Amino acid sequence: MGEHNTSGNQNASGEHGTPKPARKPAAVVVPLLGLIAVIVGVIVAWTNQSTDFGWFAYAPLSDTVFMGNGAAMVSQGTQIGLAVTVVGLLVLAFWAGLAVGRRR
């Protein structure tokens, strides 16, 4: 009788290479979106650094001295920029964790 190929590979030339799976588009798009979010967030936070503010008050008639708690005034644009940066970093960290987990 003839030889039967039981492995299911019908290559007549004797090649036994297995094709590599194509990279999924999400494997490139997700870290790219995360990186873009980080860059945009840093730019927005950097350009909105200065905040013009002020208030008018008078000292009360007491013997206590007002001591500020050291809080810094941060504009809404800076807050939004920092929030976008944090979301971008979280996306990059999630993607890196998935990539490391898949290799094992």
Side-chain angles (χ1 to χ4, degrees):
M1 309 249 174
E3 293 182 23
H4 289 67
N5 191 351
T6 59
S7 67
N9 190 357
Q10 300 296 327
N11 285 341
S13 64
E15 295 179 11
H16 295 291
T18 58
K20 293 185 178 183
R23 289 183 63 116
K24 295 179 183 178
V28 177
V29 172
V30 171
L32 187 63
L33 288 176
L35 187 62
I36 289 171
V38 169
I39 292 171
V40 167
V42 167
I43 290 172
V44 169
W46 189 266
T47 58
N48 290 315
Q49 275 186 344
S50 64
T51 301
D52 293 331
F53 65 93
W55 60 82
F56 180 81
Y58 61 93
L61 299 175
S62 68
D63 292 335
T64 60
V65 176
F66 174 74
M67 299 294 286
N69 60 1
M73 300 296 181
V74 180
S75 70
Q76 185 177 7
T78 302
Q79 291 174 358
I80 291 171
L82 293 175
V84 170
T85 301
V86 167
V87 168
L89 289 173
L90 287 172
V91 168
L92 287 174
F94 182 75
W95 171 79
L98 282 177
V100 168
R102 286 183 185 154
R103 290 184 187 153
R104 292 184 180 176

